[in-house]
């Protein structure tokens, strides 16, 4: 989430060109089909959904998250110490090697994290915003000093862009070449071949630090297929093993297919409608409140997701820590919405709703258009491609746009910094919502060690930002993923990481 420039965090359209159908699956190949592209192998350079899937296979982090319990566990750091004042973290590295057999050292860790924190090309530096300095005390010890105590730091050190790269290789080949074809990796896989706009082919990293992993010696293919119909047809035909982003309308049918395991997996995803606070009509609080009250998000969740998603009640994902499940949310009250719109002076105002070409985006835009029309706005749907969507929202050249985002960790700090913080570099996810009181609470939330007090801080953030309609919350959706039953151990985690290293192929 966060200040991502050209990043594609919640992108709902993607891959170009369809690919030809595959021959029947070989026993030693695992194929995953996704609508999301791999566009770079540099874990610092992009926050696009397809790249997030890829980075976890190629690069290990200081910590890892247990795929069953979600608990933080030792990764490249086998242990760590935290100073009494909470401002110094000392990580002790295990003996580990890169895919070229060279040792992973504290210099590599400091180099990798410094790139994320301070390089101008870094897509997402916010998780390390609290860091004052990173130093290699010796080859096996990394010392991280923070500007102040920061409760979510360990969780932040585990997210998708925190992968450790080879300092020697990047400095030898140069940043672009080092990640252009076959990078030196620290994770469970290395690159066998990359065909941009088609597929990324991976093979097990023989030097991976987790002994006995990956469990299978199978080659992995991450295949980009834009058409959901093609993805599903290939899965049914036994030509691929897993499909991400199964259309809601096809879930019930896939549940009846004997060879397919259709799952609703936990997520931290929220679907919402961005409102541009920089210009009328939504620079006006009453107009935003009117727009929010016009929306029946319970009916929308049922219509769009066939009832698989829950209506959203606050501006934060429903599964993050300290989500206020008891908050009543924005009431659906069209009569009150008409009153507020009249009071705002914005009745009859044109509203440009950006929408991409995929079916859920079009359906969402049409439902919003109808409900806003009913209270006296003049909504117009503007169809754009994904790149134009991000360009327009980033510049504030729009009025409204529905999309989704997810939180990388259970902790809500990154969520509030991405979605509702005006001074955190994200422009409150391109809404340009800015409330100094909220920004102050965001900082308080990270410094407060007491869990009960933190909960109250985040409840207050949710109350203020929902009342002020920073965005219009729509629904909390699970990850709809379909799998071939020949695989064991594969899933997509809430942080959008495939558990490929823990996957085996059945008979």
């Amino acid at each position: 989430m966060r200040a991502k420039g050209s990043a594609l965090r919640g992108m709902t359209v993607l891959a170009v060109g369809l690919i030809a159908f595959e021959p029947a699956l070989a026993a030693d190949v695992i194929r995953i089909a996704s609508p999301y592209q791999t566009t770079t192998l540099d874990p610092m350079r992009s926050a696009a959904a397809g790249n997030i899937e890829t980075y976890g296979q190629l690069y290990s982090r200081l910590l890892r998250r247990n795929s069953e319990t979600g608990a933080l566990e030792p990764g490249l750091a086998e242990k760590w110490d935290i100073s009494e004042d909470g401002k110094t973290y000392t990580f002790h590295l295990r003996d580990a090697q890169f895919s070229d057999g060279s040792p992973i050292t504290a210099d590599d860790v400091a180099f990798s994290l410094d790139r994320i924190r301070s390089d101008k090309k870094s897509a997402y530096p916010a998780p390390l915003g609290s860091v004052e300095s990173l130093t290699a005390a010796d080859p096996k010890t990394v010392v991280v000093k923070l500007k102040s105590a920061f409760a979510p730091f360990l969780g932040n050190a585990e997210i998708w862009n925190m992968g450790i790269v080879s300092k020697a290789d990047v400095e030898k080949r140069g940043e672009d070449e080092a990640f252009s074809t076959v990078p030196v990796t620290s994770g469970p896989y290395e690159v066998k071949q990359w065909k941009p706009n088609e597929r990324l082919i991976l093979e097990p990293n023989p030097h991976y630090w987790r002994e006995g992993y990956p469990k299978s010696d199978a080659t992995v293919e991450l295949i980009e297929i834009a058409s959901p119909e093609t993805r599903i047809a290939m899965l049914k035909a036994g030509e691929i093993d897993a499909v991400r982003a199964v259309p809601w309308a096809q879930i019930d049918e896939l549940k009846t297919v004997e060879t397919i395991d259709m799952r609703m997996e936990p997520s931290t995803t929220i679907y919402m409608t961005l409102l541009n606070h920089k210009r009328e009509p939504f620079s006006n609080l009453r107009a935003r409140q009117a727009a929010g009250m016009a929306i029946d998000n319970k009916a929308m969740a049922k219509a769009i997701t066939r009832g698989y998603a829950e209506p959203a009640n606050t501006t934060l994902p429903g599964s993050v820590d300290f989500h206020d499940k008891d908050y009543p949310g924005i009431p659906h009250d069209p009569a009150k919405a008409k009153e507020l719109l009249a009071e705002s002076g914005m009745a009859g105002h044109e509203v440009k709703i950006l929408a991409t070409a995929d079916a859920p985006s079009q359906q969402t835009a049409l439902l919003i258009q109808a409900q806003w029309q009913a209270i006296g706005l003049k909504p117009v749907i503007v169809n754009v491609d994904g790149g134009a969507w991000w360009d327009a929202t980033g510049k504030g050249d729009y009025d409204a746009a529905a999309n989704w985002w997810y939180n990388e960790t259970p902790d809500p700090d990154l969520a509030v910094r991405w979605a509702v913080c005006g001074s955190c570099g994200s422009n409150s996810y391109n809404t340009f919502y800015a409330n100094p009181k909220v920004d102050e609470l965001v900082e308080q939330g990270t410094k407060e060690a007491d869990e009960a007090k933190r909960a109250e801080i985040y409840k207050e953030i949710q109350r203020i930002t929902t009342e002020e309609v920073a965005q219009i919350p729509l629904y909390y959706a699970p990850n709809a993923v379909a799998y071939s039953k020949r695989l064991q151990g594969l899933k997509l985690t809430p942080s959008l990481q495939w558990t490929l290293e823990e996957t085996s192929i059945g008979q």
Side-chain angles (χ1 to χ4, degrees):
M1 295 167 332
R2 312 343 89 146
K4 304 196 179 141
S6 62
L8 310 181
R9 159 177 226 87
M11 195 145 182
T12 51
V13 292
L14 249 39
V16 296
L18 298 182
I19 67 164
F21 271 55
E22 298 293 328
L25 273 176
D28 57 353
V29 180
I30 298 171
R31 292 188 176 120
I32 295 177
S34 171
Y36 304 116
Q37 292 174 302
T38 296
T39 61
T40 176
L41 303 179
D42 184 346
M44 175 200 77
R45 294 284 283 271
S46 172
N51 295 323
I52 290 172
E53 288 182 39
T54 299
Y55 296 149
Q57 310 310 320
L58 299 180
Y59 305 105
S60 287
R61 305 158 190 144
L62 287 172
L63 293 87
R64 61 184 302 273
R65 211 170 269 283
N66 185 296
S67 63
E68 294 299 322
T69 67
L72 285 173
E73 296 179 345
L76 289 176
E78 59 184 355
K79 60 181 180 177
W80 52 87
D81 309 307
I82 306 171
S83 63
E84 278 191 29
D85 63 6
K87 291 168 66 173
T88 303
Y89 287 70
T90 304
F91 294 94
H92 305 279
L93 305 185
R94 69 175 72 246
D95 288 330
Q97 295 177 325
F98 286 109
S99 55
D100 64 355
S102 62
I104 298 173
T105 70
D107 278 337
D108 296 304
V109 174
F111 171 77
S112 300
L113 300 186
D114 246 340
R115 292 177 78 229
I116 299 161
R117 183 172 72 104
S118 56
D119 193 302
K120 288 180 180 176
K121 295 174 185 172
S122 176
Y124 189 25
L128 297 180
S130 63
V131 174
E132 182 74 47
S133 65
L134 290 151
T135 53
D138 61 50
K140 291 288 185 189
T141 309
V142 181
V143 179
V144 182
K145 292 189 180 294
L146 307 183
K147 297 167 189 171
S148 57
F150 185 72
F153 179 70
L154 285 177
N156 286 9
E158 185 277 333
I159 69 170
W160 51 267
N161 64 338
M162 298 292 158
I164 304 308
V165 302
S166 167
K167 179 182 179 183
D169 183 63
V170 173
E171 290 182 342
K172 179 183 176 183
R173 291 200 281 171
E175 205 169 63
D176 290 335
E177 190 183 333
F179 298 104
S180 62
T181 52
V182 181
V184 172
T185 68
S186 54
Y189 292 90
E190 58 185 348
V191 175
K192 184 176 182 180
Q193 186 181 20
W194 183 27
K195 300 177 181 178
N197 299 324
E198 185 185 323
R199 73 187 65 203
L200 178 68
I201 304 172
L202 307 176
E203 57 189 358
N205 172 7
H207 299 285
Y208 185 44
W209 63 268
R210 285 187 81 197
E211 194 172 339
Y213 292 87
K215 285 185 176 178
S216 167
D217 60 4
T219 299
V220 172
E221 296 187 8
L222 302 177
I223 308 171
E224 299 161 15
I225 305 175
S227 162
E229 292 77 19
T230 303
R231 295 196 301 272
I232 299 302
M234 291 177 73
L235 180 68
K236 286 179 176 177
E239 291 160 341
I240 54 176
D241 289 300
V243 171
R244 181 175 168 189
V246 174
W248 304 109
Q250 297 192 41
I251 289 170
D252 288 345
E253 187 220 336
L254 287 178
K255 284 183 174 180
T256 68
V257 179
E258 194 175 331
T259 57
I260 293 172
D261 182 9
M262 180 68 236
R263 293 187 221 150
M264 298 291 105
E265 294 182 321
S267 86
T268 60
T269 301
I270 176 173
Y271 282 75
M272 59 345 107
T273 300
L274 305 179
L275 303 176
N276 183 0
H277 296 235
K278 275 176 78 170
R279 70 186 193 191
E280 292 182 341
F282 297 133
S283 55
N284 184 291
L285 173 59
R286 282 190 172 89
R288 293 198 305 276
Q289 290 172 330
M293 287 184 181
I295 299 297
D296 185 349
N297 70 348
K298 292 182 178 66
M300 286 185 69
K302 189 172 182 181
I304 295 168
T305 76
R306 306 299 202 270
Y308 282 107
E310 291 183 15
N313 68 324
T314 83
T315 50
L316 293 191
S319 55
V320 297
D321 295 343
F322 314 127
H323 169 257
D324 188 356
K325 63 179 174 51
D326 298 321
Y327 185 77
I330 299 172
H332 174 51
D333 190 339
K336 179 66 173 174
K338 278 185 181 178
E339 282 179 30
L340 285 168
L341 191 63
E343 289 172 17
S344 74
M346 296 296 153
H349 204 290
E350 184 177 271
V351 177
K352 290 182 178 176
I353 305 173
L354 296 187
T356 49
D358 58 291
S361 294
Q362 290 291 313
Q363 186 181 10
T364 303
L366 286 166
L367 289 169
I368 291 169
Q369 181 185 43
Q371 292 171 96
W372 283 352
Q373 217 156 15
I375 65 165
L377 286 167
K378 288 188 177 175
V380 177
I381 296 173
V382 180
N383 291 312
V384 293
D385 64 24
W389 192 99
W390 284 94
D391 185 57
T393 59
K395 291 176 179 173
D397 185 18
Y398 78 106
D399 295 312
N403 205 346
W404 62 269
W405 57 271
Y406 85 107
N407 202 46
E408 294 91 340
T409 70
D411 193 280
D413 174 62
L414 293 175
V416 295
R417 287 177 186 277
W418 170 248
V420 296
C421 178
S423 61
C424 296
S426 65
N427 292 320
S428 295
Y429 188 4
N430 297 346
T431 61
F432 304 93
Y433 169 77
N435 181 331
K437 171 66 174 171
V438 171
D439 294 0
E440 184 184 317
L441 288 168
V442 168
E443 293 308 318
Q444 285 179 24
T446 63
K447 294 172 184 174
E448 180 55 65
D450 184 280
E451 293 285 287
K453 290 178 181 175
R454 283 196 86 203
E456 289 307 310
I457 289 168
Y458 289 106
K459 280 185 180 181
E460 181 71 355
I461 290 172
Q462 290 168 83
R463 182 190 65 78
I464 295 171
T465 58
T466 308
E467 283 181 4
E468 294 186 346
V469 197
Q471 309 165 1
I472 300 176
L474 296 178
Y475 51 86
Y476 304 129
N479 289 324
V481 189
Y483 300 88
S484 163
K485 286 185 178 175
R486 81 184 189 113
L487 298 185
Q488 285 88 49
L490 182 62
K491 67 179 180 180
L492 188 68
T493 70
S495 53
L496 302 185
Q497 303 290 289
W498 295 108
T499 60
L500 278 161
E501 66 186 282
E502 296 171 13
T503 301
S504 56
I505 301 175
Q507 300 303 315

